[in-house]
Amino acid sequence: MSAERFNCHYCKDPLLGKKYILKEDTQYCAKCYENLFSNCCEGCALPIGCNNKDLSYKDRHWHENCFKCGKCGRSLAEKAFAAKDELLLCTECYSSEYSAKCASCTKTIMPGSRKMEYKGSSWHETCFLCQRCQQPIGTKSFIPKENSFYCVACFEKQFAHQCCACKKAITTGGVTYQEKPWHRECFTCIGCKKQLAGQRFTSREDYPYCLKCFSNLYAKKCVGCTKPITSLSGAKYISFEERQWHSDCFICMQCSISLVGRGFLTQRDGVLCTDCGREK
């Protein structure tokens, strides 16, 4: 490049022996470069010249000496800081003004540190402890009780009832039978193992039975159909001389007329209406 052509691209002043700045292979004198390309400082509103450091944050720029905490005025250059709306604050000022206080130790929870939040309160992660074992709960499940928190294992050990069948803790629901706690899934018929929670059942010798098993095992049998007769299901029956019939089965063995409320005669294991009995 010839000497006469080595001039400022904008004002055309000669640059030989002077400080200049190249931008995209084009030379500018310092004054023109600052006027054309320098960023405006957010602090003092003056251009940030080429002899100054340009500190930036989210498309905003500051002189190094203007990059200060908006509350205490301390320099933020090469220090951690936080932003609140358009204001930059050192971590101490931000914490004092805006950070939550730990519900356990009452100290400030510094920005960027791990914390736990529950129902509007905050804790340092290391302060959110199980009341029983005093270990940090962290990301594990927990159970609140009154003003304390418990990990699931400790809550079960301290508060939960134990199922009298499987001996494990009952944490939700459950069934009480003979003043003892059971898991719903553990409270079953002693005969067929069908779950009895929410179902009609009976007992014998302190053991629970569904109606079907109890009837099959202990109910008397109908002389007519040989099936069990049980009052537990609400069925009506007829009893005569230590023999029983379902009401629907108490019929004449010859003409099949119902004998409920009528006179009848017995013949071996059967019964006859009086008309059929006379014929015999």
Side-chain angles (χ1 to χ4, degrees):
M1 180 180 294
S2 63
E4 53 273 10
R5 293 188 61 190
F6 193 60
N7 300 329
C8 173
H9 179 73
Y10 189 74
C11 69
K12 308 304 181 183
D13 283 353
L15 297 177
L16 285 174
K18 297 180 180 180
K19 182 176 180 179
Y20 66 93
I21 299 98
L22 280 174
K23 181 176 177 62
E24 297 177 356
D25 296 329
T26 303
Q27 68 276 6
Y28 298 87
C29 66
K31 183 177 180 181
C32 288
Y33 181 86
E34 291 179 0
N35 290 335
L36 292 170
F37 304 112
S38 292
N39 294 307
C40 187
C41 175
E42 292 279 339
C44 66
L46 296 176
I48 302 173
C50 54
N51 292 326
N52 299 112
K53 282 188 178 180
D54 184 337
L55 303 182
S56 64
Y57 173 72
K58 289 188 175 180
D59 296 326
R60 299 165 67 197
H61 299 264
W62 290 261
H63 290 104
E64 183 176 16
N65 293 334
C66 296
F67 195 57
K68 299 177 181 179
C69 172
K71 183 172 178 63
C72 69
R74 286 183 292 184
S75 174
L76 298 178
E78 299 182 2
K79 292 183 180 179
F81 64 89
K84 179 65 176 178
D85 300 325
E86 294 296 313
L87 196 64
L88 299 185
L89 301 170
C90 63
T91 53
E92 290 83 358
C93 288
Y94 183 88
S95 298
S96 176
E97 290 290 324
Y98 303 108
S99 291
K101 301 294 189 294
C102 177
S104 179
C105 70
T106 71
K107 294 181 180 179
T108 298
I109 301 174
M110 299 297 288
S113 60
R114 297 175 67 87
K115 67 177 180 178
M116 300 294 295
E117 294 181 324
Y118 180 72
K119 288 190 174 181
S121 297
S122 300
W123 291 260
H124 293 106
E125 187 179 46
T126 53
C127 292
F128 193 64
L129 307 177
C130 170
Q131 180 69 20
R132 188 172 189 272
C133 68
Q134 291 297 299
Q135 295 300 308
I137 293 175
T139 58
K140 295 184 293 185
S141 297
F142 65 90
I143 300 173
K145 184 174 177 61
E146 297 173 351
N147 294 322
S148 300
F149 304 94
Y150 297 83
C151 63
V152 174
C154 285
F155 184 87
E156 291 179 353
K157 290 176 183 177
Q158 187 157 340
F159 300 108
H161 293 295
Q162 286 190 334
C163 174
C164 65
C166 69
K167 308 305 179 185
K168 295 181 179 179
I170 301 172
T171 56
T172 57
V175 175
T176 299
Y177 172 66
Q178 293 184 339
E179 299 183 357
K180 295 178 181 179
W182 306 65
H183 287 114
R184 292 176 65 87
E185 60 271 20
C186 293
F187 186 58
T188 60
C189 170
I190 197 68
C192 66
K193 305 305 179 184
K194 176 184 177 181
Q195 290 187 22
L196 297 177
Q199 307 295 321
R200 294 185 65 192
F201 68 93
T202 187
S203 64
R204 185 179 178 91
E205 297 177 358
D206 294 335
Y207 292 110
Y209 291 87
C210 68
L211 300 186
K212 182 177 180 180
C213 285
F214 185 85
S215 297
N216 290 336
L217 291 170
Y218 301 111
K220 294 178 179 180
K221 303 297 188 293
C222 173
V223 174
C225 67
T226 71
K227 293 180 180 179
I229 298 174
T230 172
S231 60
L232 296 172
S233 59
K236 294 181 180 180
Y237 65 98
I238 307 298
S239 179
F240 178 72
E241 293 182 350
E242 298 184 356
R243 292 183 293 171
Q244 287 79 29
W245 291 261
H246 291 109
S247 293
D248 293 340
C249 297
F250 192 56
I251 59 177
C252 174
M253 58 184 296
Q254 185 166 321
C255 69
S256 299
I257 190 174
S258 174
L259 299 177
V260 177
R262 300 167 63 100
F264 63 90
L265 302 171
T266 61
Q267 187 180 57
R268 302 186 193 89
D269 291 334
V271 286
L272 295 167
C273 65
T274 53
D275 292 339
C276 291
R278 291 191 193 99
E279 294 177 1
K280 293 287 184 180

